[in-house]
Amino acid sequence: MLSQESIRELRSAWLPNITDAGLNRLIDLMEKGSPLLIHGCFTRSVPMGCLATQIAWHHPTTSHMTMDAGITWLHSVAKLNPATSHVLRDWDRRGIHDWEVRSELLEHLKGERLKRHAPDRAEAVDAEMAVV
């Protein structure tokens, strides 16, 4: 499971700063269990990157970057310290192969996408996510 700190950080710093393209990319990689979504480091080789790096490659501020994209996105866009991010620490400890973490994170990402594309459902999604 994601820690409560991770959930708070995800909602306050990550989700508001992820582009639709970045959100869709993460959802796609997670649903497929893709080896392109890694843990334990920001980037192995393009196109292999962690959560933050995959998001950064789909964000206008950092899309031109390669190896430092995730670090830069976390610091400059999400205003987080990459070394102390709760979301990244939970992800790095467990990674894509931990079904519970992946499933819970995927649920939050899909909820965010639904809120963006169906604003009238936003309250219902918020209520559902509060139970998690």
Side-chain angles (χ1 to χ4, degrees):
M1 286 182 67
L2 289 171
S3 67
Q4 288 301 309
E5 293 88 0
S6 288
I7 293 169
R8 278 192 293 278
E9 179 182 295
L10 183 65
R11 289 178 180 162
S12 66
W14 288 67
L15 294 176
N17 291 298
I18 299 174
T19 63
D20 287 347
L23 190 61
N24 289 333
R25 177 70 172 161
L26 276 186
I27 290 169
D28 182 55
L29 292 173
M30 284 189 172
E31 286 179 335
K32 293 177 180 175
S34 175
L36 297 178
L37 185 58
I38 61 173
H39 62 355
C41 60
F42 282 94
T43 311
R44 286 202 185 116
S45 63
V46 177
M48 297 176 79
C50 72
L51 298 170
T53 302
Q54 295 291 344
I55 291 166
W57 286 336
H58 293 85
H59 193 280
T61 304
T62 49
S63 62
H64 67 283
M65 304 176 104
T66 54
M67 302 305 267
D68 293 332
I71 294 168
T72 303
W73 181 85
L74 281 167
H75 183 266
S76 299
V77 178
K79 307 295 186 211
L80 294 169
N81 181 338
T84 60
S85 167
H86 295 286
V87 173
L88 278 188
R89 284 193 292 180
D90 276 356
W91 180 255
D92 284 347
R93 274 193 293 252
R94 298 179 184 108
I96 198 165
H97 301 295
D98 183 310
W99 177 248
E100 281 186 3
V101 168
R102 189 169 102 203
S103 177
E104 188 174 353
L105 194 50
L106 188 55
E107 190 174 324
H108 285 280
L109 296 172
K110 285 182 170 182
E112 177 67 16
R113 182 169 63 184
L114 183 61
K115 283 171 47 177
R116 290 180 186 188
H117 296 287
D120 54 321
R121 287 250 315 126
E123 286 184 31
V125 170
D126 284 341
E128 289 172 23
M129 296 310 293
V131 174
V132 174

